[in-house]
Amino acid sequence: TKRKYIRNEIIARILDSLEGYLLMTKTSPESLIESYRKKMLYLDQEIVVIRGTETFNGILRGINDQGHLIIER
């Protein structure tokens, strides 16, 4: 079925989600990291990293407890 979405409804849903994630950063940051780990795309796949003028390939292995990417080169 096709459903018409009202722009304000979409924005409200996005803001609700972001507010929940922001709250998690203060109350339970480890839960936020774990939630993110479960939803990661390209895990154990080759990726291209572009950092400034440097470009390199690596395998995305996950994120650490601070939320930084773990890339095997």
Side-chain angles (χ1 to χ4, degrees), residues 2-17:
K2 288 188 177 184
R3 179 175 176 208
K4 286 189 175 185
Y5 286 97
I6 300 171
R7 189 180 337 183
N8 290 343
E9 180 183 335
I10 294 170
I11 292 170
R13 288 180 183 208
I14 291 170
L15 289 176
D16 284 345
S17 291

Side-chain angles (χ1 to χ4, degrees), residues 12-29:
R13 288 180 183 208
I14 291 170
L15 289 176
D16 284 345
S17 291
L18 290 175
E19 184 178 35
Y21 288 125
L22 180 60
L23 183 60
M24 284 177 78
T25 65
K26 296 175 190 289
T27 60
S28 183

Side-chain angles (χ1 to χ4, degrees), residues 44-55:
D44 297 323
Q45 295 182 33
E46 186 171 0
I47 60 169
V48 177
V49 177
I50 302 170
R51 183 173 49 193
T53 59
E54 178 188 14
T55 301

Side-chain angles (χ1 to χ4, degrees), residues 34-72:
E34 194 55 40
S35 174
Y36 190 82
R37 283 183 177 129
K38 291 177 183 176
K39 297 175 184 177
M40 285 187 72
L41 300 176
Y42 307 109
L43 199 57
D44 297 323
Q45 295 182 33
E46 186 171 0
I47 60 169
V48 177
V49 177
I50 302 170
R51 183 173 49 193
T53 59
E54 178 188 14
T55 301
F56 63 90
N57 291 12
I59 306 295
L60 177 60
R61 296 298 183 194
I63 58 173
N64 66 17
D65 291 339
Q66 289 74 44
H68 301 156
L69 290 176
I70 301 170
I71 301 170
E72 182 181 302

